[in-house]
């Protein structure tokens, strides 16, 4: 039987024995038809018994979570210690598996990707090795999800697990597996506790405006990595890239005001790529990467957390805060469309406006599902329980709109500003709340863990108020812009429509569509009524011509200001 040091167990015939104290007489164990004598002294702790003088084939596994220098010094030291133990035990090292700069903690309940660990399990499962040497169990596994496959393989192959720091890891007995699982829980707790401390440190850095690492943002020079525990240097502005950032921001704002004078994100990307300007990762610019660079609060001299502005930073701003906020409003405007998005405009009157009326569904309908040679259909977006042919429905709805315009009193869509939407007053409120948030960060700059929780709660409430005020500012600006634009009903030639309608509704419909664009007709529909589509009745209803529209299958509910 193997001891703590000296010649180790053999590889030709291994058995695992339960934890027991041998009696005074010799105990005979039968292995592969042979009797193997076991001395009476000592404790058998699930260890492999020796049947021949052939040494065990051992695999060394090394791992380190963080290796910023890339010199693999940590895993090299682990390997040296494991080789020394292999020599003491008389084991033969057949392979070394290394996961350098890789964590053993997976994200969102998944196993961490460790190629060398996976290769180690494959070797043990294929019986290409009899033992594993590792510096400590936390190098081999830190979570139960990595331990359980190892237990299953050891139970099947009788492989030996030997950490340098702990003695043999017994996975052959219930007690040994319990200890191994406890060690896994302890390792998981250590990692989670370290993550909590790291998050608290990053929160303190954000409050103080300190750079806490991460990839180099475009517009700033690279910061030299610091040793663990040291605060990174303050990023310095790169003059060449900063000039490009300012040009891009001005181009975006100019295009939003007048497309003839500015550039889209697509145009800026093409210009930069043609000039050989690369992103911080050395790749060509895309709309997504450029948009992310312009939306980052970093370029305004602010600390960013998950893409959000959380306070002033120690580094210099490339563009002023007001300019950055204007750029952000433009780039996050959901109604904004770039040149490449023109083809995405709705091509049918009721797309996204009509409602599904089956069993009170209420979901919007969109066109789709028509095969080649078939007419376009409207389909419910919530379920496949409503499919209607689009053309006769659109004809009926637009004839009803024309009739409303030519027979009823003149229609002017209301443009009444919502109460409380004063942009200047709201901007003053936002500035005051932002100052409160900055003062709060200074007050808690040196806070301990208990005070950090208090800061988070108070800061969260202030950010919620700032967000609410910014939404009101956006609403006010949107209303002001909409109020200054012509309404969808302005300059409607009702006389021409009336003469055409008197001749025949179809004549009026043709004039209506030739005179006014689809986009404008959709705006008028949205302002006038809510159209609900119902399932068609089986067969042809009485009074409905072949291929005609059943009037009971469509509801046009005129809005209150129209009635």
């Amino acid at each position: 039987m193997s001891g703590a040091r000296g010649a180790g167990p053999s590889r030709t015939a291994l058995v695992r024995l339960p934890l027991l104290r041998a009696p005074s007489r010799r105990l005979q164990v039968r292995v592969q038809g042979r009797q193997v004598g076991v001395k009476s002294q000592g404790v058998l702790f699930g260890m492999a018994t020796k049947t021949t003088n052939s040494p065990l084939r051992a695999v060394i596994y090394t791992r380190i979570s963080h290796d910023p220098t890339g010199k693999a010094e940590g895993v090299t030291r682990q390997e040296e210690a494991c080789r020394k133990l292999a020599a003491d035990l008389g084991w033969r090292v057949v392979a070394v598996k290394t996961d350098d700069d890789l964590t053993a903690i997976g994200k969102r309940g998944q196993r961490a990707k460790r190629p060398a660990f996976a290769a180690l399990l494959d070797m043990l499962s294929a019986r290409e090795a009899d033992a594993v040497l590792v510096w400590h169990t936390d190098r081999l596994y830190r979570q139960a999800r990595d331990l359980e496959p190892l237990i299953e393989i050891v139970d099947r192959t009788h492989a030996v697990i030997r950490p340098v720091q702990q003695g043999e890891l017994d996975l052959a007995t219930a007690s040994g597996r319990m200890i191994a699982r406890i060690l896994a829980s302890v390792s998981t707790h250590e990692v989670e506790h370290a993550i909590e401390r790291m998050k608290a440190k990053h929160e303190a850095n954000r409050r103080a405006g300190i750079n806490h690492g991460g990839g180099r943002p475009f517009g700033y020079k690279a910061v030299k990595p610091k040793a663990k525990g040291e605060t990174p240097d303050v990023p310095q502005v790169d003059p060449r890239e900063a000039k490009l950032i300012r040009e891009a921001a001005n181009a975006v704002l100019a295009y939003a005001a007048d497309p003839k004078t500015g550039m889209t994100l697509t145009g800026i990307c093409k210009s930069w790529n043609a000039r050989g300007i690369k992103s911080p990762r050395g790749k060509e610019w895309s709309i997504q990467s450029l948009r992310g660079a312009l939306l980052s609060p970093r370029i305004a001299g602010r600390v960013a957390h998950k893409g959000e502005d959380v306070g002033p930073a120690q580094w210099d701003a490339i563009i002023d805060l007001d300019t950055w906020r204007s750029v952000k409003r433009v780039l996050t405007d959901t109604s904004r469309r770039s040149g490449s998005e023109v083809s995405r405009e709705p091509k049918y009157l009721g797309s996204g406006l009509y409602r599904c009326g089956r069993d009170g569904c209420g979901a919007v309908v969109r066109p789709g599902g028509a095969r080649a040679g078939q007419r376009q259909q409207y389909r419910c977006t919530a379920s496949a329980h409503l499919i209607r042919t689009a053309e006769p429905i659109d004809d009926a709805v637009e004839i009803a709109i024309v009739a409303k315009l030519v027979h009823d009193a003149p229609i002017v869509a209301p443009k009444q500003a919502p109460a409380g939407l004063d942009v200047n007053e709201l901007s003053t409120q936002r500035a005051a709340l932002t100052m409160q948030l900055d003062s709060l960060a200074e007050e808690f700059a040196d806070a301990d863990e208990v005070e950090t929780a208090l800061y988070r709660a108070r800061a969260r409430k202030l950010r919620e108020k700032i967000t609410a005020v910014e939404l009101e500012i956006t609403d006010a600006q949107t209303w002001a812009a909409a109020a200054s634009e012509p309404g969808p009903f302005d300059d409607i030639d009702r006389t021409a429509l009336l003469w055409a309608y008197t001749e025949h509704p179809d004549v009026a419909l043709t004039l209506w569509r030739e005179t006014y664009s689809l986009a404008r007709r959709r705006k008028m529909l949205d302002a006038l009524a809510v159209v609900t589509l119902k399932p068609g009745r089986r067969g042809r209803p009485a009074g409905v011509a072949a291929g005609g529209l059943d009037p009971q299958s469509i509801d046009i509910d005129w809005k209150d200001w129209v009635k």
Side-chain angles (χ1 to χ4, degrees):
M1 182 180 69
S2 65
R5 297 285 179 183
S10 68
R11 66 181 178 84
T12 55
L14 304 178
V15 297
R16 292 279 183 179
L17 300 178
L19 179 62
L20 53 86
R21 172 72 64 180
S24 57
R25 55 188 176 81
R26 292 175 64 83
L27 176 67
Q28 300 294 326
V29 180
R30 184 171 295 277
V31 180
Q32 295 181 352
R34 298 175 53 195
Q35 286 188 345
V36 180
V38 181
K39 293 183 179 181
S40 58
Q41 286 79 18
V43 177
L44 303 180
F45 195 63
M47 301 182 70
T49 61
K50 180 177 179 180
T51 60
T52 72
N53 293 326
S54 179
L56 290 182
R57 300 168 299 172
V59 178
I60 294 176
Y61 178 76
T62 60
R63 183 188 65 81
I64 193 167
S65 300
H66 186 54
D67 185 10
T69 65
K71 297 181 179 180
E73 295 175 349
V75 292
T76 300
R77 290 192 295 269
Q78 294 177 29
E79 180 182 346
E80 291 173 353
C82 290
R83 286 190 179 276
K84 183 178 183 302
L85 178 58
D88 292 343
L89 296 174
W91 293 358
R92 180 167 59 92
V93 176
V94 297
V96 177
K97 301 296 181 182
T98 299
D99 283 317
D100 188 33
D101 202 23
L102 289 176
T103 180
I105 298 295
K107 295 181 179 180
R108 297 181 179 90
Q110 299 179 353
R111 293 176 61 182
K113 294 182 179 180
R114 291 188 287 161
F117 180 72
L120 170 68
L121 296 182
D122 291 340
M123 286 189 66
L124 295 178
S125 183
R127 300 180 188 273
E128 296 174 359
D130 310 308
V132 177
L133 289 169
V134 66
W135 168 253
H136 192 278
T137 54
D138 60 13
R139 302 299 89 197
L140 193 61
Y141 64 86
R142 275 194 177 275
Q143 294 178 305
R145 65 173 63 96
D146 287 328
L147 173 61
E148 296 306 321
L150 187 62
I151 290 176
E152 187 276 328
I153 292 174
V154 168
D155 184 63
R156 178 164 43 85
T157 64
H158 307 295
V160 179
I161 311 297
R162 183 61 187 267
V164 174
Q165 294 294 309
Q166 296 167 286
E168 184 178 2
L169 180 64
D170 176 31
L171 300 180
T173 65
S175 297
R177 290 190 291 271
M178 177 191 70
I179 293 173
R181 290 179 177 120
I182 290 174
L183 291 175
S185 298
V186 172
S187 294
T188 302
H189 169 265
E190 291 175 350
V191 172
E192 292 176 347
H193 188 50
I195 291 174
E196 289 177 351
R197 295 197 306 270
M198 180 178 63
K199 287 182 176 179
K201 177 63 176 178
H202 286 175
E203 180 70 26
N205 285 348
R206 285 193 292 270
R207 292 199 305 269
I210 298 174
N211 174 41
H212 56 267
R216 180 183 79 85
F218 189 75
Y220 294 89
K221 298 178 181 179
V223 176
K224 184 179 180 181
K226 291 291 185 178
K228 187 176 182 180
E230 294 185 8
T231 302
D233 291 335
V234 177
Q236 300 299 315
V237 173
D238 185 312
R240 174 177 171 272
E241 293 184 354
K243 182 179 178 182
L244 293 170
I245 287 285
R246 297 186 190 101
E247 290 176 355
N250 291 334
V252 168
L253 294 177
Y255 184 84
D258 183 1
K260 296 180 180 179
T261 61
M263 292 179 68
T264 64
L265 294 182
T266 301
I268 298 172
C269 287
K270 289 181 178 179
S271 174
W272 285 10
N273 292 334
R275 293 155 61 185
I277 300 168
K278 301 295 183 181
S279 72
R281 296 186 178 183
K283 298 181 179 180
E284 289 194 342
W285 287 94
S286 64
I287 293 177
Q288 291 76 17
S289 58
L290 177 59
R291 186 174 186 272
L294 293 177
L295 286 178
S296 173
R298 285 174 174 262
I299 64 175
R302 310 285 291 183
V303 177
H305 180 53
K306 296 182 178 180
E308 296 298 325
D309 173 19
V310 295
Q314 293 183 342
W315 54 85
D316 294 333
I318 295 176
I319 60 177
D320 62 83
L321 185 58
D322 289 337
T323 300
W324 176 77
R325 284 173 174 163
S326 298
V327 171
K328 182 180 179 181
R329 280 197 298 270
V330 171
L331 295 182
T332 56
D333 182 4
T334 56
S335 64
R336 182 173 171 268
R337 292 289 185 270
S338 66
S340 61
E341 294 175 322
V342 173
S343 60
R344 300 181 186 178
E345 291 291 344
K347 298 180 180 179
Y348 296 89
L349 180 72
S351 178
L353 296 179
Y354 295 167
R355 300 281 176 170
C356 173
R358 178 144 198 166
D359 301 326
C361 174
V364 297
V365 301
R366 296 195 185 278
R371 299 178 181 177
Q374 294 182 339
R375 293 192 295 177
Q376 185 64 48
Q377 300 170 335
Y378 284 125
R379 292 172 174 255
C380 175
T381 56
S383 177
H385 58 200
L386 181 75
I387 302 175
R388 300 291 307 277
T389 302
E391 183 179 352
I393 293 174
D394 288 347
D395 291 349
V397 170
E398 293 202 88
I399 288 175
I401 291 175
V402 171
K404 195 74 172 176
L405 292 174
V406 300
H407 290 147
D408 292 352
I411 295 176
V412 178
K415 293 184 178 181
Q416 182 177 0
L421 293 186
D422 186 330
V423 176
N424 293 332
E425 180 180 347
L426 292 171
S427 298
T428 302
Q429 292 180 22
R430 180 181 62 185
L433 291 170
T434 303
M435 291 181 60
Q436 292 181 37
L437 186 61
D438 293 345
S439 300
L440 185 67
E442 294 177 0
E443 179 183 349
F444 285 86
D446 299 322
D448 55 23
E449 293 187 6
V450 176
E451 292 175 329
T452 296
L454 176 61
Y455 166 78
R456 289 175 180 172
R458 293 172 61 180
R460 182 174 62 252
K461 291 181 179 179
L462 283 173
R463 292 193 187 104
E464 289 174 354
K465 291 181 179 179
I466 292 173
T467 300
V469 171
E470 288 182 341
L471 289 175
E472 291 186 34
I473 292 174
T474 301
D475 290 341
Q477 292 172 334
T478 301
W479 177 86
S484 63
E485 294 179 355
F489 302 100
D490 293 351
D491 301 325
I492 295 291
D493 191 346
R494 298 171 187 268
T495 302
L497 286 175
L498 178 59
W499 280 105
Y501 191 86
T502 303
E503 182 178 351
H504 196 279
D506 289 343
V507 176
L509 178 61
T510 301
L511 176 63
W512 170 257
R513 290 175 173 172
E514 290 176 350
T515 306
Y516 307 106
S517 67
L518 175 62
R520 186 171 180 183
R521 299 195 323 262
R522 282 174 50 83
K523 288 182 180 180
M524 286 189 273
L525 168 61
D526 190 31
L528 288 170
V530 175
V531 177
T532 303
L533 307 184
K534 299 179 179 179
R537 291 183 287 177
R538 292 183 178 275
R540 190 174 71 187
V544 177
L549 177 69
D550 180 8
Q552 295 186 20
S553 68
I554 177 172
D555 281 344
I556 301 178
D557 185 15
W558 302 103
K559 294 186 177 180
D560 292 339
W561 72 272
V562 181
K563 297 176 181 178

